[in-house]
Coordinates of all heavy atoms in Angstrom, one line a residue:
M1 N -14.9 -25.9 28.6 CA -13.9 -24.9 28.4 C -14.6 -23.5 28.6 O -15.7 -23.3 28.1 CB -13.3 -25.0 27.0 CG -12.3 -24.0 26.7 SD -11.7 -24.2 25.0 CE -10.0 -24.3 25.4
E2 N -13.9 -22.6 29.3 CA -14.5 -21.3 29.5 C -13.6 -20.2 28.9 O -12.4 -20.4 28.9 CB -14.6 -21.0 31.0 CG -15.6 -21.9 31.7 CD -15.7 -21.6 33.2 OE1 -14.9 -20.9 33.7 OE2 -16.7 -22.1 33.8
V3 N -14.3 -19.2 28.4 CA -13.6 -18.1 27.7 C -13.9 -16.8 28.5 O -15.1 -16.6 28.8 CB -14.0 -18.0 26.3 CG1 -13.3 -16.8 25.7 CG2 -13.5 -19.2 25.5
F4 N -12.9 -16.0 28.8 CA -13.2 -14.8 29.5 C -13.1 -13.6 28.5 O -12.1 -13.5 27.8 CB -12.1 -14.6 30.6 CG -12.2 -15.6 31.7 CD1 -11.4 -16.7 31.6 CD2 -13.1 -15.5 32.7 CE1 -11.4 -17.7 32.6 CE2 -13.2 -16.5 33.7 CZ -12.3 -17.6 33.6
T5 N -14.1 -12.8 28.4 CA -14.0 -11.6 27.6 C -14.4 -10.4 28.4 O -15.1 -10.5 29.4 CB -15.0 -11.8 26.4 OG1 -16.3 -12.0 26.9 CG2 -14.6 -12.9 25.5
I6 N -14.0 -9.3 28.0 CA -14.3 -8.0 28.7 C -15.2 -7.2 27.8 O -14.8 -6.9 26.6 CB -13.0 -7.2 29.0 CG1 -12.2 -8.1 30.0 CG2 -13.4 -5.9 29.6 CD1 -10.8 -7.4 30.3
K7 N -16.4 -6.9 28.2 CA -17.3 -6.1 27.5 C -17.8 -4.9 28.4 O -18.4 -5.1 29.4 CB -18.6 -6.9 27.1 CG -18.3 -7.9 26.0 CD -19.6 -8.6 25.6 CE -19.3 -9.5 24.4 NZ -20.5 -10.1 23.9
R8 N -17.5 -3.7 27.9 CA -17.9 -2.5 28.6 C -17.5 -2.6 30.1 O -18.3 -2.4 31.0 CB -19.3 -2.2 28.5 CG -19.7 -1.9 27.0 CD -21.1 -1.5 26.9 NE -21.4 -1.3 25.5 CZ -22.6 -1.1 25.0 NH1 -23.6 -1.1 25.9 NH2 -22.8 -1.0 23.8
E9 N -16.3 -2.9 30.4 CA -15.7 -2.9 31.7 C -16.3 -4.0 32.6 O -16.3 -3.9 33.8 CB -15.8 -1.6 32.4 CG -15.0 -0.5 31.6 CD -15.2 0.9 32.2 OE1 -15.8 1.0 33.3 OE2 -14.7 1.8 31.6
K10 N -16.9 -5.0 32.0 CA -17.4 -6.1 32.8 C -16.7 -7.4 32.3 O -16.5 -7.6 31.1 CB -18.9 -6.3 32.6 CG -19.7 -5.2 33.2 CD -21.2 -5.5 33.0 CE -22.1 -4.4 33.6 NZ -23.5 -4.6 33.3
L11 N -16.5 -8.3 33.2 CA -15.9 -9.6 32.8 C -17.0 -10.6 32.6 O -17.8 -10.8 33.4 CB -15.0 -10.1 34.0 CG -14.2 -11.4 33.7 CD1 -13.2 -11.2 32.5 CD2 -13.5 -11.8 34.9
V12 N -17.0 -11.1 31.4 CA -18.1 -12.0 31.0 C -17.4 -13.4 30.7 O -16.4 -13.5 30.1 CB -18.7 -11.6 29.6 CG1 -19.8 -12.5 29.2 CG2 -19.3 -10.2 29.8
V13 N -18.0 -14.4 31.3 CA -17.6 -15.8 31.2 C -18.5 -16.5 30.3 O -19.7 -16.6 30.6 CB -17.4 -16.5 32.6 CG1 -16.9 -17.9 32.4 CG2 -16.5 -15.7 33.5
K14 N -18.0 -17.1 29.3 CA -18.9 -17.9 28.4 C -18.3 -19.3 28.3 O -17.1 -19.5 28.3 CB -19.0 -17.4 27.0 CG -19.7 -16.1 26.9 CD -19.9 -15.6 25.5 CE -20.7 -14.4 25.4 NZ -21.0 -14.0 24.0
T15 N -19.2 -20.3 28.2 CA -18.8 -21.7 28.1 C -18.8 -22.1 26.6 O -19.8 -21.8 25.9 CB -19.7 -22.6 28.9 OG1 -19.7 -22.2 30.3 CG2 -19.2 -24.0 28.8
I16 N -17.7 -22.7 26.2 CA -17.6 -23.1 24.8 C -17.9 -24.6 24.7 O -17.3 -25.4 25.4 CB -16.3 -22.8 24.2 CG1 -16.0 -21.3 24.2 CG2 -16.1 -23.4 22.8 CD1 -14.7 -20.9 23.7
S17 N -18.8 -25.0 23.9 CA -19.1 -26.5 23.7 C -18.2 -27.1 22.7 O -17.4 -26.4 22.0 CB -20.6 -26.7 23.3 OG -20.7 -26.2 22.0
N18 N -18.2 -28.4 22.6 CA -17.4 -29.1 21.7 C -17.8 -28.8 20.2 O -16.9 -28.8 19.4 CB -17.5 -30.6 21.9 CG -16.7 -31.1 23.2 OD1 -15.8 -30.4 23.6 ND2 -17.1 -32.2 23.7
N19 N -19.1 -28.6 20.0 CA -19.5 -28.2 18.7 C -18.9 -26.8 18.3 O -18.6 -26.6 17.1 CB -21.0 -28.1 18.6 CG -21.6 -29.5 18.5 OD1 -21.0 -30.5 18.1 ND2 -22.9 -29.6 19.0
D20 N -18.8 -25.9 19.2 CA -18.2 -24.6 18.9 C -16.8 -24.8 18.5 O -16.3 -24.1 17.6 CB -18.3 -23.7 20.1 CG -19.7 -23.1 20.3 OD1 -20.5 -23.2 19.4 OD2 -19.9 -22.5 21.4
I21 N -16.1 -25.6 19.2 CA -14.6 -25.9 18.8 C -14.5 -26.4 17.4 O -13.7 -26.0 16.6 CB -14.0 -26.8 19.9 CG1 -13.9 -26.0 21.2 CG2 -12.6 -27.2 19.4 CD1 -13.5 -26.8 22.4
R22 N -15.4 -27.4 17.1 CA -15.4 -27.9 15.7 C -15.7 -26.9 14.7 O -15.1 -26.8 13.6 CB -16.4 -29.1 15.6 CG -16.0 -30.3 16.4 CD -17.0 -31.4 16.2 NE -16.7 -32.4 17.2 CZ -17.6 -32.9 18.1 NH1 -18.8 -32.4 18.1 NH2 -17.2 -33.8 18.9
Y23 N -16.7 -26.0 15.0 CA -17.0 -24.9 14.0 C -15.8 -24.0 13.9 O -15.5 -23.5 12.8 CB -18.2 -24.2 14.5 CG -19.5 -24.8 14.1 CD1 -20.6 -24.9 15.0 CD2 -19.8 -25.3 12.8 CE1 -21.8 -25.5 14.7 CE2 -21.0 -25.9 12.5 CZ -22.0 -26.0 13.5 OH -23.1 -26.6 13.1
Y24 N -15.1 -23.6 15.0 CA -14.0 -22.8 14.9 C -12.9 -23.4 14.0 O -12.3 -22.7 13.2 CB -13.4 -22.5 16.2 CG -14.2 -21.5 17.1 CD1 -14.4 -21.8 18.4 CD2 -14.7 -20.4 16.5 CE1 -15.2 -20.9 19.2 CE2 -15.4 -19.5 17.3 CZ -15.7 -19.7 18.6 OH -16.4 -18.9 19.3
I25 N -12.7 -24.7 14.1 CA -11.6 -25.4 13.3 C -12.0 -25.3 11.9 O -11.2 -25.0 11.0 CB -11.4 -26.8 13.8 CG1 -10.7 -26.7 15.2 CG2 -10.6 -27.6 12.9 CD1 -10.7 -28.1 15.9
L26 N -13.3 -25.7 11.6 CA -13.7 -25.6 10.2 C -13.7 -24.2 9.6 O -13.3 -24.0 8.4 CB -15.2 -26.2 10.1 CG -15.3 -27.7 10.1 CD1 -16.8 -28.1 10.2 CD2 -14.7 -28.3 9.0
C27 N -14.1 -23.2 10.4 CA -14.1 -21.8 9.9 C -12.7 -21.4 9.6 O -12.4 -20.8 8.6 CB -14.7 -21.0 11.0 SG -14.5 -19.2 10.6
N28 N -11.7 -21.7 10.5 CA -10.3 -21.3 10.2 C -9.8 -22.1 9.0 O -9.0 -21.5 8.2 CB -9.5 -21.6 11.4 CG -9.7 -20.6 12.5 OD1 -10.1 -19.4 12.2 ND2 -9.6 -21.0 13.7
W29 N -10.1 -23.3 8.8 CA -9.7 -24.0 7.6 C -10.2 -23.4 6.4 O -9.5 -23.2 5.4 CB -10.1 -25.5 7.7 CG -9.6 -26.2 6.5 CD1 -8.3 -26.8 6.4 CD2 -10.3 -26.5 5.3 NE1 -8.2 -27.4 5.1 CE2 -9.4 -27.2 4.4 CE3 -11.5 -26.2 4.8 CZ2 -9.7 -27.6 3.2 CZ3 -11.9 -26.6 3.5 CH2 -11.0 -27.3 2.7
C30 N -11.5 -23.0 6.4 CA -12.1 -22.4 5.2 C -11.5 -21.1 4.9 O -11.2 -20.8 3.7 CB -13.6 -22.2 5.4 SG -14.6 -23.7 5.3
N31 N -11.3 -20.3 5.9 CA -10.8 -18.9 5.7 C -9.3 -18.9 5.4 O -8.8 -18.2 4.5 CB -11.1 -18.0 6.8 CG -12.6 -17.7 6.8 OD1 -13.2 -17.6 5.8 ND2 -13.1 -17.4 8.0
L32 N -8.5 -19.6 6.2 CA -7.0 -19.4 6.1 C -6.5 -20.3 5.0 O -5.8 -19.9 4.0 CB -6.4 -19.7 7.4 CG -6.7 -18.7 8.5 CD1 -6.0 -19.2 9.8 CD2 -6.2 -17.4 8.1
Y33 N -6.6 -21.6 5.1 CA -5.9 -22.5 4.3 C -6.5 -22.6 2.9 O -5.7 -22.5 1.9 CB -6.0 -23.9 4.9 CG -5.3 -24.0 6.2 CD1 -6.0 -24.2 7.4 CD2 -3.9 -23.8 6.3 CE1 -5.3 -24.2 8.6 CE2 -3.2 -23.8 7.5 CZ -3.9 -24.0 8.6 OH -3.3 -24.0 9.8
N34 N -7.8 -22.7 2.7 CA -8.3 -22.9 1.4 C -8.2 -21.6 0.6 O -7.7 -21.6 -0.5 CB -9.8 -23.3 1.5 CG -10.3 -23.8 0.2 OD1 -9.6 -23.8 -0.8 ND2 -11.6 -24.1 0.2
S35 N -8.7 -20.5 1.1 CA -8.7 -19.3 0.2 C -7.3 -18.6 0.2 O -7.0 -17.9 -0.8 CB -9.7 -18.3 0.7 OG -9.4 -17.9 2.0
G36 N -6.5 -18.8 1.2 CA -5.2 -18.1 1.2 C -4.1 -19.0 0.6 O -3.7 -18.7 -0.5
F37 N -3.7 -20.0 1.3 CA -2.6 -20.8 0.9 C -2.9 -21.7 -0.3 O -2.2 -21.6 -1.3 CB -2.0 -21.6 2.0 CG -1.6 -20.8 3.2 CD1 -2.2 -21.0 4.4 CD2 -0.6 -19.8 3.0 CE1 -1.8 -20.2 5.5 CE2 -0.2 -19.1 4.1 CZ -0.8 -19.3 5.4
L38 N -3.9 -22.4 -0.2 CA -4.2 -23.4 -1.3 C -4.8 -22.6 -2.6 O -4.6 -23.1 -3.7 CB -5.3 -24.4 -0.9 CG -4.8 -25.4 0.2 CD1 -5.9 -26.3 0.6 CD2 -3.5 -26.1 -0.3
G39 N -5.4 -21.5 -2.4 CA -5.9 -20.7 -3.5 C -4.8 -20.2 -4.4 O -4.9 -20.0 -5.6
C40 N -3.6 -20.0 -3.8 CA -2.4 -19.5 -4.6 C -1.9 -20.7 -5.5 O -1.4 -20.5 -6.6 CB -1.3 -19.0 -3.7 SG -1.7 -17.5 -2.8
I41 N -1.9 -21.9 -4.9 CA -1.4 -23.0 -5.6 C -2.4 -23.6 -6.6 O -2.1 -24.0 -7.7 CB -0.9 -24.1 -4.6 CG1 0.2 -23.5 -3.7 CG2 -0.4 -25.3 -5.3 CD1 0.5 -24.3 -2.5
L42 N -3.6 -23.7 -6.2 CA -4.7 -24.3 -7.0 C -5.7 -23.3 -7.3 O -6.7 -23.0 -6.6 CB -5.3 -25.5 -6.2 CG -4.4 -26.6 -5.7 CD1 -5.2 -27.5 -4.8 CD2 -3.9 -27.4 -6.9
P43 N -5.6 -22.6 -8.5 CA -6.5 -21.5 -8.8 C -8.0 -22.0 -9.1 O -8.9 -21.2 -9.2 CB -5.9 -20.9 -10.0 CG -5.0 -21.9 -10.6 CD -4.6 -22.8 -9.5
I44 N -8.2 -23.3 -9.1 CA -9.5 -23.8 -9.4 C -10.4 -23.7 -8.2 O -11.6 -23.7 -8.3 CB -9.5 -25.2 -9.9 CG1 -10.8 -25.6 -10.6 CG2 -9.1 -26.2 -8.8 CD1 -10.7 -26.9 -11.4
L45 N -9.8 -23.6 -7.0 CA -10.6 -23.5 -5.8 C -11.3 -22.1 -5.7 O -10.6 -21.1 -5.8 CB -9.7 -23.6 -4.5 CG -9.1 -25.0 -4.3 CD1 -8.2 -25.0 -3.1 CD2 -10.2 -26.0 -4.1
P46 N -12.5 -22.1 -5.4 CA -13.2 -20.8 -5.3 C -13.0 -20.2 -3.9 O -13.7 -20.6 -3.0 CB -14.7 -21.2 -5.5 CG -14.8 -22.6 -5.1 CD -13.5 -23.2 -5.4
G47 N -12.1 -19.3 -3.8 CA -11.7 -18.8 -2.5 C -12.8 -18.0 -1.8 O -13.0 -18.1 -0.6
L48 N -13.4 -17.1 -2.5 CA -14.4 -16.2 -1.9 C -15.6 -17.0 -1.3 O -16.0 -16.7 -0.2 CB -14.8 -15.1 -2.9 CG -15.6 -13.9 -2.3 CD1 -14.7 -13.2 -1.2 CD2 -15.9 -13.0 -3.4
P49 N -16.2 -17.9 -2.1 CA -17.4 -18.6 -1.5 C -17.0 -19.5 -0.3 O -17.8 -19.6 0.6 CB -17.9 -19.5 -2.7 CG -17.4 -18.8 -3.9 CD -16.1 -18.2 -3.5
I50 N -15.8 -20.0 -0.4 CA -15.4 -20.9 0.8 C -15.1 -20.0 2.0 O -15.4 -20.4 3.1 CB -14.2 -21.8 0.4 CG1 -14.7 -22.8 -0.7 CG2 -13.7 -22.5 1.6 CD1 -13.7 -23.7 -1.2
S51 N -14.6 -18.8 1.8 CA -14.4 -17.9 2.9 C -15.8 -17.5 3.5 O -15.9 -17.3 4.7 CB -13.7 -16.6 2.4 OG -12.4 -17.0 2.1
Y52 N -16.8 -17.3 2.6 CA -18.1 -17.0 3.1 C -18.7 -18.1 3.9 O -19.4 -18.0 4.9 CB -19.0 -16.6 1.9 CG -20.4 -16.2 2.4 CD1 -20.6 -15.0 3.0 CD2 -21.5 -17.1 2.2 CE1 -21.9 -14.7 3.4 CE2 -22.8 -16.8 2.6 CZ -23.0 -15.5 3.2 OH -24.2 -15.2 3.7
L53 N -18.4 -19.4 3.4 CA -18.8 -20.5 4.2 C -18.2 -20.5 5.6 O -18.8 -20.9 6.6 CB -18.4 -21.8 3.5 CG -18.7 -23.1 4.2 CD1 -20.2 -23.3 4.3 CD2 -18.0 -24.3 3.4
G54 N -16.9 -20.0 5.7 CA -16.3 -19.9 7.0 C -17.0 -18.9 7.9 O -17.1 -19.1 9.1
I55 N -17.5 -17.8 7.3 CA -18.3 -16.8 8.0 C -19.6 -17.4 8.5 O -20.0 -17.2 9.7 CB -18.5 -15.6 7.2 CG1 -17.2 -14.8 7.0 CG2 -19.6 -14.7 7.9 CD1 -17.4 -13.6 6.1
L56 N -20.2 -18.2 7.7 CA -21.5 -18.9 8.1 C -21.2 -19.9 9.2 O -22.0 -19.9 10.2 CB -22.1 -19.6 6.9 CG -22.8 -18.8 5.9 CD1 -23.4 -19.6 4.8 CD2 -23.9 -18.0 6.5
L57 N -20.1 -20.6 9.1 CA -19.8 -21.6 10.2 C -19.5 -20.8 11.5 O -19.9 -21.3 12.6 CB -18.6 -22.4 9.8 CG -18.8 -23.5 8.7 CD1 -17.5 -24.2 8.3 CD2 -19.9 -24.5 9.2
L58 N -18.8 -19.7 11.4 CA -18.6 -18.9 12.6 C -19.9 -18.3 13.2 O -20.0 -18.2 14.4 CB -17.6 -17.8 12.2 CG -17.0 -17.0 13.4 CD1 -16.2 -17.9 14.3 CD2 -16.1 -15.9 12.8
H59 N -20.8 -18.0 12.3 CA -22.1 -17.5 12.8 C -22.8 -18.6 13.6 O -23.6 -18.2 14.6 CB -23.0 -17.1 11.6 CG -24.4 -16.7 12.0 ND1 -24.7 -15.6 12.6 CD2 -25.5 -17.4 11.8 CE1 -26.0 -15.5 12.8 NE2 -26.5 -16.6 12.3
F60 N -22.6 -19.8 13.4 CA -23.4 -20.9 14.1 C -22.8 -21.2 15.4 O -23.3 -22.1 16.1 CB -23.4 -22.2 13.2 CG -24.3 -22.0 12.0 CD1 -23.8 -22.3 10.8 CD2 -25.6 -21.5 12.1 CE1 -24.6 -22.2 9.7 CE2 -26.4 -21.4 11.0 CZ -25.9 -21.7 9.8
T61 N -21.6 -20.6 15.8 CA -21.1 -20.8 17.1 C -21.8 -19.9 18.1 O -22.6 -19.0 17.7 CB -19.6 -20.5 17.1 OG1 -19.4 -19.1 16.8 CG2 -18.8 -21.3 16.2
S62 N -21.6 -20.1 19.4 CA -22.2 -19.3 20.4 C -21.5 -18.0 20.7 O -22.0 -17.1 21.3 CB -22.4 -20.1 21.7 OG -21.1 -20.4 22.2
M63 N -20.3 -17.8 20.1 CA -19.5 -16.6 20.4 C -19.8 -15.5 19.5 O -19.6 -14.3 19.8 CB -18.0 -17.0 20.4 CG -17.6 -18.0 21.4 SD -17.8 -17.4 23.1 CE -16.4 -16.3 23.2
V64 N -20.2 -15.7 18.3 CA -20.4 -14.7 17.2 C -21.8 -14.7 16.8 O -22.4 -15.8 16.5 CB -19.5 -14.9 16.0 CG1 -19.7 -13.9 15.0 CG2 -18.0 -14.9 16.5
D65 N -22.4 -13.5 16.7 CA -23.8 -13.5 16.2 C -23.9 -12.4 15.2 O -24.0 -11.2 15.5 CB -24.7 -13.2 17.4 CG -26.2 -13.3 17.0 OD1 -26.5 -14.0 16.0 OD2 -27.0 -12.6 17.6
Y66 N -23.8 -12.7 13.9 CA -24.0 -11.8 12.8 C -25.4 -11.6 12.5 O -26.3 -12.4 12.7 CB -23.3 -12.3 11.6 CG -21.8 -12.4 11.6 CD1 -21.2 -13.7 11.4 CD2 -21.0 -11.4 11.9 CE1 -19.8 -13.8 11.5 CE2 -19.6 -11.5 12.0 CZ -19.1 -12.7 11.8 OH -17.7 -12.8 11.9
S67 N -25.8 -10.4 12.1 CA -27.2 -10.1 11.8 C -27.5 -10.7 10.4 O -26.6 -11.0 9.6 CB -27.4 -8.6 11.7 OG -26.7 -8.0 10.6
L68 N -28.8 -10.8 10.2 CA -29.2 -11.4 8.9 C -28.9 -10.5 7.8 O -28.5 -11.0 6.7 CB -30.7 -11.7 9.0 CG -31.4 -12.4 7.8 CD1 -30.7 -13.8 7.7 CD2 -32.8 -12.5 8.0
A69 N -29.0 -9.2 8.0 CA -28.6 -8.2 6.9 C -27.2 -8.4 6.5 O -26.8 -8.3 5.4 CB -29.0 -6.8 7.4
F70 N -26.3 -8.6 7.5 CA -24.9 -8.7 7.3 C -24.6 -10.0 6.4 O -23.9 -9.9 5.4 CB -24.1 -8.9 8.6 CG -22.7 -9.1 8.4 CD1 -21.8 -8.1 8.2 CD2 -22.2 -10.4 8.5 CE1 -20.4 -8.4 8.1 CE2 -20.8 -10.7 8.4 CZ -19.9 -9.6 8.2
L71 N -25.2 -11.1 6.8 CA -25.0 -12.3 6.0 C -25.6 -12.3 4.6 O -25.0 -12.7 3.7 CB -25.7 -13.5 6.8 CG -25.0 -13.8 8.1 CD1 -25.9 -14.9 8.9 CD2 -23.6 -14.3 8.0
I72 N -26.8 -11.7 4.5 CA -27.4 -11.5 3.1 C -26.6 -10.6 2.3 O -26.3 -10.8 1.1 CB -28.8 -11.1 3.2 CG1 -29.7 -12.3 3.8 CG2 -29.4 -10.7 1.9 CD1 -31.1 -11.9 4.1
G73 N -26.1 -9.5 2.9 CA -25.3 -8.5 2.1 C -24.0 -9.1 1.6 O -23.7 -8.9 0.4
W74 N -23.3 -9.8 2.5 CA -22.1 -10.4 2.0 C -22.4 -11.6 1.0 O -21.5 -11.9 0.1 CB -21.3 -10.9 3.2 CG -20.5 -9.8 3.7 CD1 -20.6 -9.2 4.9 CD2 -19.4 -9.1 3.1 NE1 -19.7 -8.1 5.0 CE2 -18.9 -8.1 3.9 CE3 -18.7 -9.3 1.9 CZ2 -17.9 -7.2 3.6 CZ3 -17.7 -8.4 1.5 CH2 -17.3 -7.4 2.4
A75 N -23.5 -12.3 1.1 CA -23.8 -13.3 0.1 C -24.0 -12.7 -1.2 O -23.6 -13.2 -2.2 CB -25.1 -14.1 0.6
I76 N -24.7 -11.5 -1.3 CA -24.9 -10.8 -2.5 C -23.5 -10.4 -3.1 O -23.3 -10.5 -4.3 CB -25.8 -9.6 -2.4 CG1 -27.2 -10.1 -2.1 CG2 -25.8 -8.7 -3.6 CD1 -28.2 -9.1 -1.6
V77 N -22.6 -9.8 -2.3 CA -21.3 -9.4 -2.7 C -20.5 -10.6 -3.3 O -19.9 -10.5 -4.3 CB -20.5 -8.7 -1.6 CG1 -19.1 -8.6 -1.9 CG2 -21.2 -7.4 -1.2
V78 N -20.6 -11.7 -2.6 CA -19.9 -12.9 -3.0 C -20.4 -13.4 -4.4 O -19.6 -13.7 -5.3 CB -20.0 -14.1 -2.0 CG1 -19.6 -15.4 -2.6 CG2 -19.2 -13.7 -0.8
I79 N -21.7 -13.4 -4.6 CA -22.3 -13.8 -5.9 C -21.9 -12.9 -7.0 O -21.5 -13.3 -8.1 CB -23.8 -13.9 -5.7 CG1 -24.2 -15.1 -4.8 CG2 -24.5 -14.1 -7.1 CD1 -25.6 -15.1 -4.4
I80 N -21.9 -11.6 -6.7 CA -21.6 -10.6 -7.8 C -20.1 -10.7 -8.1 O -19.7 -10.7 -9.3 CB -21.9 -9.2 -7.3 CG1 -23.4 -9.0 -7.3 CG2 -21.2 -8.1 -8.2 CD1 -23.8 -7.7 -6.6
V81 N -19.2 -10.9 -7.2 CA -17.8 -11.0 -7.4 C -17.5 -12.3 -8.2 O -16.7 -12.3 -9.1 CB -17.0 -10.9 -6.1 CG1 -15.5 -11.3 -6.4 CG2 -17.1 -9.5 -5.6
Q82 N -18.2 -13.4 -7.8 CA -18.0 -14.6 -8.6 C -18.4 -14.5 -10.0 O -17.8 -15.0 -10.9 CB -18.7 -15.8 -7.9 CG -18.0 -16.3 -6.7 CD -16.7 -16.9 -7.0 OE1 -15.7 -16.4 -6.6 NE2 -16.6 -17.9 -7.8
I83 N -19.5 -13.9 -10.3 CA -20.0 -13.7 -11.6 C -19.0 -12.8 -12.4 O -18.7 -13.1 -13.6 CB -21.4 -13.1 -11.6 CG1 -22.4 -14.1 -11.1 CG2 -21.8 -12.6 -13.0 CD1 -23.8 -13.6 -10.9
L84 N -18.6 -11.7 -11.8 CA -17.6 -10.8 -12.4 C -16.3 -11.6 -12.7 O -15.6 -11.4 -13.7 CB -17.3 -9.6 -11.6 CG -18.4 -8.6 -11.6 CD1 -18.1 -7.4 -10.6 CD2 -18.7 -8.0 -13.0
D85 N -15.9 -12.4 -11.8 CA -14.6 -13.2 -11.9 C -14.7 -14.1 -13.1 O -13.7 -14.5 -13.7 CB -14.3 -13.9 -10.6 CG -12.9 -14.5 -10.6 OD1 -12.0 -13.9 -11.2 OD2 -12.8 -15.6 -10.0
Y86 N -15.9 -14.6 -13.4 CA -16.1 -15.5 -14.5 C -16.1 -14.7 -15.9 O -15.5 -15.2 -16.8 CB -17.4 -16.3 -14.4 CG -17.6 -17.2 -15.5 CD1 -16.9 -18.4 -15.6 CD2 -18.6 -17.0 -16.4 CE1 -17.1 -19.3 -16.6 CE2 -18.9 -17.9 -17.4 CZ -18.1 -19.1 -17.5 OH -18.4 -19.9 -18.5
F87 N -16.8 -13.6 -15.9 CA -17.0 -12.9 -17.2 C -15.9 -11.8 -17.5 O -15.7 -11.6 -18.7 CB -18.4 -12.2 -17.2 CG -19.5 -13.2 -17.4 CD1 -20.4 -13.4 -16.3 CD2 -19.6 -13.9 -18.5 CE1 -21.4 -14.3 -16.5 CE2 -20.7 -14.8 -18.7 CZ -21.6 -15.0 -17.7
V88 N -15.3 -11.2 -16.6 CA -14.3 -10.1 -16.9 C -13.1 -10.7 -17.7 O -12.7 -10.0 -18.6 CB -13.9 -9.4 -15.6 CG1 -12.7 -8.5 -15.8 CG2 -15.1 -8.6 -15.0
P89 N -12.6 -11.8 -17.4 CA -11.4 -12.3 -18.2 C -11.8 -12.5 -19.7 O -10.9 -12.6 -20.5 CB -11.0 -13.6 -17.5 CG -11.5 -13.5 -16.1 CD -12.7 -12.7 -16.2
I90 N -13.0 -12.6 -20.0 CA -13.4 -12.8 -21.4 C -13.0 -11.6 -22.2 O -12.7 -11.7 -23.4 CB -14.9 -13.1 -21.5 CG1 -15.2 -14.5 -20.9 CG2 -15.4 -13.1 -22.9 CD1 -16.7 -14.8 -20.7
W91 N -13.2 -10.4 -21.6 CA -12.8 -9.2 -22.4 C -11.4 -9.1 -22.4 O -10.6 -8.5 -22.9 CB -13.4 -8.0 -21.7 CG -14.9 -7.9 -21.9 CD1 -15.6 -8.4 -22.9 CD2 -15.8 -7.3 -21.0 NE1 -16.9 -8.1 -22.8 CE2 -17.1 -7.4 -21.6 CE3 -15.7 -6.6 -19.8 CZ2 -18.3 -6.9 -21.0 CZ3 -16.9 -6.1 -19.2 CH2 -18.1 -6.3 -19.8

């Protein structure tokens, strides 16, 4: 499967492998269904960490390349928000 993208007025053709398609499906499931729709019905699901897992899965495809600083920065944000989500309702 080939994907056409335009970068700086040039047409770039990239080939998508079967693993990339699997990662896209898992990433979309993590981001959309789990944290969005199912998170409203089942509050026990940790939406933010699973959304971060979707970002990590998307990073492992050949189409997206996040920097290490981006991934570590968002991991720190996810950890801080999860800790606050646990302790803030106590007050």
Side-chain angles (χ1 to χ4, degrees):
M1 175 182 239
E2 293 180 346
V3 175
F4 298 97
T5 58
I6 298 175
K7 289 187 177 180
R8 295 187 185 170
E9 300 177 3
K10 292 182 182 178
L11 183 63
V12 178
V13 179
K14 290 187 177 183
T15 304
I16 298 177
S17 67
N18 288 336
N19 285 335
D20 285 346
I21 294 172
R22 289 184 193 122
Y23 280 133
Y24 286 136
I25 292 170
L26 283 173
C27 174
N28 286 331
W29 182 83
C30 287
N31 286 330
L32 293 177
Y33 297 113
N34 193 1
S35 64
F37 300 121
L38 294 179
C40 293
I41 299 168
L42 302 170
I44 196 167
L45 290 176
L48 195 59
I50 294 177
S51 292
Y52 183 72
L53 176 66
I55 290 174
L56 283 179
L57 290 174
L58 191 60
H59 173 71
F60 292 127
T61 63
S62 64
M63 298 293 286
V64 178
D65 188 26
Y66 294 121
S67 68
L68 185 62
F70 176 83
L71 293 174
I72 291 173
W74 277 109
I76 292 169
V77 169
V78 167
I79 291 168
I80 290 171
V81 169
Q82 280 300 113
I83 291 170
L84 287 175
D85 191 31
Y86 182 73
F87 287 113
V88 168
I90 293 173
W91 286 331

